[in-house]
Amino acid sequence: MTTILVTGGTGTLGRLVVERLRADGHEVRVLSRRTPPYAVDLREGGPGLDAAVAGVDTVVHCASSPRGGDEEAAAHLIAAARKAGVGHLVYISIVGVDRVPLGYYRTKHAVERLVEESGLGWTVLRATQFHDLVVTVLSTLSKSPVLPLPAGVSDQPVEVSEVADRLAELAVSPPSGRVPDMGGPEIRTFASLARAYLKSTSRHRPVLNLPLPGRTYRAFRSGGHLTPANRTGKRTFEEYLECRFGNG
C-alpha cells in the first residue's frame, strides 16, 4: 500500500480524505498545526516538515487559510517533497481561481503554478464551494433582520464527501496534471439557496438582493466560479439541508 501525507488532515475536507485512504488500507500521515506527531506550521517549514514527508509516496495538499500564507506554505512543502523524493503531489483548488479577482482566489491560483512548476509529478483538482461553506455564509447573513445577498449571483455547491472521494481516488492514481473541474449537480441563484436554508432552519427573513460594485462582483455575477459542463456531484443542496437540519 502507498504511504500518503495529507496536509490539513484534520479539516473539513482533509479528515474525510484521511478516512477514505485509511479505509482502503493505505498508510496515512496527518499533518496539521496542532496534531502530533506531525504538528507542523507549513508557513514556517523546518525539521518537522522534513520528518513528515520522509518516506512518503504521495502528498495530498488540503491545508489552506484565507488569512494568508498559502504560497509560503506551498513553497516549503514542495521543497521538502523534492528533497524526500515524493513522487506525486495532489492539490485541491477552487473553480474560477483564474477568472475571479478575489485575493484568496489569486493566492490559490499562484499555488497551482507552484505545484505545476515544482518538478514533481502533480495533479490539480478544482472544486466549487462546499455545501457547508454556503450554509456558514447564509447563517452569518441571516443574523440580521434582513438577509442581504449579492444580486444576480448564482452558485454550484458540491458535497464535501464527494470531493474527498475524488481526491482519494486521485491520490492513488498516477500524476494526471490538471483534471476536470468538480462542481455540484445544480447551478442555483443565491436567493433560492437562501430560501431553502431559511425554510430548513425555520427562520423567517426577507431576502434583499443588492447590486455590488467592483470587478470581483462582476466576475461572480458572470459565473466565473461555476463549471456548468462538470456537474459531477450528486447530492443536492436540499438533500444536504435535510441531512443536517432535518426540516427539509
Side-chain angles (χ1 to χ4, degrees):
M1 289 288 107
T2 306
T3 300
I4 302 170
L5 174 70
V6 179
T7 73
T10 59
T12 300
L13 174 63
R15 64 181 176 80
L16 297 178
V17 176
V18 169
E19 288 175 5
R20 281 147 178 74
L21 290 170
R22 284 179 172 164
D24 288 339
H26 300 285
E27 179 185 339
V28 182
R29 300 177 187 177
V30 173
L31 185 149
S32 72
R33 282 180 289 173
R34 299 181 182 86
T35 304
Y38 303 110
V40 176
D41 188 332
L42 284 173
R43 295 169 299 182
E44 299 175 1
L49 177 56
D50 292 335
V53 299
V56 164
D57 302 295
T58 298
V59 173
V60 181
H61 186 30
C62 297
S64 184
S65 174
R67 293 184 294 274
D70 278 12
E71 289 181 68
E72 294 83 357
H76 289 143
L77 179 63
I78 288 166
R82 279 200 300 251
K83 185 164 61 174
V86 171
H88 189 188
L89 174 58
V90 182
Y91 180 56
I92 179 67
S93 189
I94 305 171
V95 170
V97 292
D98 54 343
R99 300 190 296 264
V100 178
L102 187 68
Y104 182 55
Y105 279 35
R106 285 172 167 165
T107 297
K108 297 288 283 187
H109 194 211
V111 173
E112 284 187 4
R113 291 194 294 268
L114 289 174
V115 170
E116 293 166 8
E117 298 165 3
S118 66
L120 302 168
W122 61 275
T123 300
V124 170
L125 170 67
R126 292 179 181 175
T128 54
Q129 288 75 26
F130 302 152
H131 293 311
D132 310 63
L133 176 60
V134 175
V135 164
T136 297
V137 170
L138 292 174
S139 175
T140 300
L141 292 175
S142 64
K143 289 178 181 178
S144 64
V146 174
L147 200 162
L149 297 173
V153 175
S154 296
D155 203 10
Q156 190 180 354
V158 67
E159 173 60 35
V160 63
S161 63
E162 295 174 351
V163 178
D165 290 341
R166 178 64 172 139
L167 275 181
E169 176 186 31
L170 292 170
V172 297
S173 300
S176 303
R178 170 87 185 280
V179 297
D181 295 344
M182 185 169 184
E186 300 176 318
I187 295 177
R188 304 274 298 276
T189 66
F190 248 110
S192 75
L193 294 171
R195 292 188 180 97
Y197 167 76
L198 291 171
K199 178 182 178 182
S200 189
T201 56
S202 301
R203 297 186 183 188
H204 302 280
R205 302 281 190 281
V207 173
L208 180 62
N209 290 292
L210 298 173
L212 301 174
R215 293 170 55 226
T216 298
Y217 168 61
R218 287 197 299 272
F220 278 122
R221 190 175 59 190
S222 66
H225 60 305
L226 307 176
T227 179
N230 294 287
R231 304 185 191 215
T232 317
K234 303 300 182 187
R235 197 180 202 190
T236 67
F237 189 60
E238 274 79 5
E239 289 169 341
Y240 166 83
L241 292 172
E242 172 65 23
C243 182
R244 178 162 175 178
F245 300 110
N247 293 317

